[in-house]
Amino acid sequence: MSKKVAILISGGGSNMVALVKSMTCDHPARAAVVISNAPKAAGLQRAADLGGPTEVVDHRPFGKDRAAFEVVLDRTLKAYQVDLICTAGFMRILTAEFVLDWPGTMP
């Protein structure tokens, strides 16, 4: 059974595209969702063009409340039941609390 990977992006998604394209049929993982904190990130369209689901968790409505943003991000990741989280050009710093709530998923 392959691992479900969430790929977090903020921009064009070139790293995400390389990751998704590397996940061929014999790869032990597959992209389950691409999530961006930037609603207009070009990588969202690139992910959609590759046939994968996309989500936006815009950080701006939360202002400096990083924890509130992470609550929504956490909920989104759990909805896809991901096994691994890859930050591929994701330009937000995740708090220690968030990372500790996802042990072993961000190698």
Side-chain angles (χ1 to χ4, degrees), residues 11-81:
S14 58
N15 291 329
M16 174 272 304
V17 169
L19 284 168
V20 171
K21 286 185 175 182
S22 75
M23 295 179 191
T24 60
C25 59
D26 62 339
H27 196 281
R30 66 175 176 81
V33 63
V34 172
I35 303 172
S36 178
N37 67 303
K40 295 182 181 182
L44 290 168
Q45 184 60 54
R46 294 175 86 180
D49 291 345
L50 291 168
T54 62
E55 298 282 347
V56 174
V57 180
D58 190 350
H59 67 278
R60 291 175 293 181
F62 301 101
K64 294 185 184 227
D65 190 350
R66 194 175 302 268
F69 164 75
E70 290 177 350
V71 165
V72 178
L73 179 60
D74 179 74
R75 189 178 316 135
T76 305
L77 291 165
K78 286 179 179 171
Y80 285 90
Q81 300 176 331

